[in-house]
């Protein structure tokens, strides 16, 4: 039985940086406090993803979402028509957003959703801050639609599993982006394209085949700093800024003094943004061990260091 005492305990666990699995109408999510870099880094570590995928921030009311992103009239119209429900919208991040940059993998956008499940809504209300939640499975595995699936897939990696029975929709939310001039379908899901187009009064653009090679500058349309990156640098050259790790520690920016890859992941995007904001030409980056989240960090750094067209 899930009662309000249990919900409050789970909400506290989330606020303290814990990972909690909870039901939504689409699939079970593995939740973390979206405003905590550390909690989000822990979540990526638990999922075992070799790269940082941007995550959806879940909130309990549309009004809350409207404060976290910049909603166009169309984005608002869709949200009001389908929330709570299996719709995720991608919009520009609000200025001074409290959401961790790691949650959106350093992008200038944010994905938002109000799920339609009484337990999820009760939990989100109790937490009273955005909660990022990818599907509660290991990377590359099938999304869980019962608490038992979550337990089988994640086992001890998750402190608590809120059991809300089987998910009624059973597939992930439909993701629609408003980052371009026209609303674009990024992921088909539990809300049909027809239903969305009826409300919009026009067709959705379809994301170009993601298997197609992009030009290096737009690679995965992910954040790339303006500065050049020199990787595996044990010390800065003259004129370079340094992003350190462990023993390679020169100056104020060190991803993790104690050499912890989870802590490094938590700091990665924020520190890259901060260094980039200083207007330096080159950021030299310390070697990062290729283990655990180090794999995702190195993936991100390699992309950011890739040659790109001048803009
Ligand atoms: O139904 C769902 O959406 C479930 C439940 C738990 O809410 N969550 C889920 O999360 O499926 P996940 O992390 O497995 O999938 C998130 C999707 C990915 O396709 C990701 O690329 C996209 O949303 N996404 C998130 N933030 C984005 C952004 N800023 N720009 C573009 N795509 C984004
Ligand atoms: Mg997933």
């Amino acid at each position: 039985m899930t009662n309000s005492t249990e919900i409050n305990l789970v909400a506290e666990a989330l606020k303290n940086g814990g990972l909690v699995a909870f039901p939504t109408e689409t699939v079970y999510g593995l939740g973390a406090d979206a405003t905590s870099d550390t909690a989000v880094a822990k979540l990526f570590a638990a999922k075992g993803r070799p790269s940082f995928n941007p995550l959806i921030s879940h909130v309990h009311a549309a009004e809350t979402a409207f404060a976290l992103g910049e909603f166009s009239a169309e984005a608002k119209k869709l949200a009001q028509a389908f929330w709570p429900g299996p719709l995720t919208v991608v919009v520009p991040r609000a200025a001074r957003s409290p959401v961790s940059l790691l949650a959106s993998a350093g992008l200038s956008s944010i994905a938002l959703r109000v799920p339609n499940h009484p337990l999820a809504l009760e939990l989100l209300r109790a937490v009273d801050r955005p909660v990022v939640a990818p599907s509660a499975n290991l990377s590359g595995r099938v999304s869980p639609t019962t608490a038992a699936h979550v337990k089988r897939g994640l086992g001890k990696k998750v402190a608590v599993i809120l059991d809300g029975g089987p998910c009624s929709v059973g597939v992930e939310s439909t993701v629609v982006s408003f980052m371009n001039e026209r609303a674009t379908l990024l992921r088909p899901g539990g809300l049909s394209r027809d239903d969305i187009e009826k409300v919009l009064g026009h067709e959705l653009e379809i994301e170009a085949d993601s298997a197609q090679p992009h030009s290096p500058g737009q690679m995965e349309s992910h954040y790339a700093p303006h500065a050049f990156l020199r990787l595996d640098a044990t010390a800065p050259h003259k004129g370079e800024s340094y992003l350190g790790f462990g023993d390679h520690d020169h100056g104020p920016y060190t991803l993790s003094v104690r050499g912890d890859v989870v802590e490094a992941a938590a700091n990665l995007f924020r520190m890259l943004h901060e260094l980039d904001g200083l207007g330096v030409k080159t950021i030299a980056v310390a070697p990062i061990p290729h283990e655990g989240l180090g794999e995702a960090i190195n993936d991100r750094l390699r992309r950011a260091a890739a040659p790109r067209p001048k803009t």
Side-chain angles (χ1 to χ4, degrees):
M1 234 354 251
T2 306
N3 54 36
S4 56
T5 319
E6 188 180 353
I7 293 277
N8 286 331
L9 283 174
V10 174
E12 278 312 304
L14 273 173
K15 285 195 218 179
N16 290 327
L19 304 183
V20 166
F22 65 95
T24 80
E25 81 281 31
T26 58
V27 299
Y28 275 73
L30 182 60
D33 177 356
T35 66
S36 161
D37 288 329
T38 309
V40 177
K42 253 174 43 189
L43 176 58
F44 278 113
K47 285 275 294 184
R49 271 179 178 162
S51 60
F52 299 120
N53 279 2
L55 302 170
I56 301 168
S57 288
H58 297 70
V59 292
H60 70 89
E63 289 304 322
T64 314
F66 295 162
L68 294 170
E70 288 169 18
F71 281 70
S72 64
E74 272 207 332
K76 222 168 216 183
K77 195 168 163 192
L78 265 203
Q80 273 158 345
F82 296 113
W83 281 349
L87 168 74
T88 293
V89 300
V90 175
V91 295
R93 281 169 75 97
R96 291 183 300 280
S97 170
V99 174
S100 159
L101 269 179
L102 181 61
S104 47
L107 295 170
S108 58
S109 55
I110 183 168
L112 291 155
R113 162 164 133 81
V114 181
N116 188 17
H117 191 290
L119 275 187
L121 289 171
E122 213 184 315
L123 176 63
L124 292 168
R125 204 171 296 120
V127 177
D128 199 27
R129 57 182 86 161
V131 171
V132 280
S135 46
N137 52 282
L138 291 176
S139 178
R141 301 293 171 80
V142 182
S143 294
T145 54
T146 65
H149 293 164
V150 179
K151 187 146 198 192
R152 215 173 299 147
L154 289 176
K156 292 197 184 109
K157 290 187 173 178
V158 47
V160 190
I161 304 173
L162 268 182
D163 191 346
C167 301
S168 58
V169 175
V171 295
E172 286 94 341
S173 60
T174 302
V175 182
V176 178
S177 168
F178 290 89
M179 294 302 289
N180 298 314
E181 219 160 290
R182 291 175 58 90
T184 305
L185 179 69
L186 297 186
R187 179 179 75 180
L191 179 64
S192 80
R193 197 173 131 195
D194 269 5
D195 286 348
I196 294 171
E197 291 177 342
K198 254 181 230 142
V199 167
L200 290 179
H202 61 79
E203 292 190 354
L204 285 171
E205 297 283 314
I206 308 294
E207 166 95 311
D209 182 4
S210 52
Q212 237 170 32
H214 295 259
S215 75
Q218 332 165 281
M219 234 180 333
E220 310 210 325
S221 54
H222 265 144
Y223 164 77
H226 295 292
F228 288 98
L229 256 53
R230 187 168 67 82
L231 305 185
D232 290 319
T234 50
H237 293 162
K238 197 166 183 278
E240 290 180 341
S241 284
Y242 194 69
L243 186 58
F245 180 88
D247 292 340
H248 298 114
D249 176 2
H250 307 271
Y253 291 95
T254 301
L255 291 170
S256 171
V257 176
R258 61 173 196 270
D260 171 8
V261 284
V262 178
E263 185 185 25
N267 287 326
L268 179 68
F269 290 103
R270 190 172 38 77
M271 289 191 174
L272 277 177
H273 270 277
E274 281 173 22
L275 279 168
D276 214 23
L278 301 176
V280 297
K281 197 153 164 254
T282 304
I283 303 169
V285 187
I288 312 290
H290 211 67
E291 60 200 31
L293 275 191
E295 205 184 332
I297 295 173
N298 284 318
D299 169 77
R300 184 90 291 278
L301 288 171
R302 258 198 318 276
R303 290 172 200 280
R308 48 187 186 255
K310 291 243 153 54
T311 49

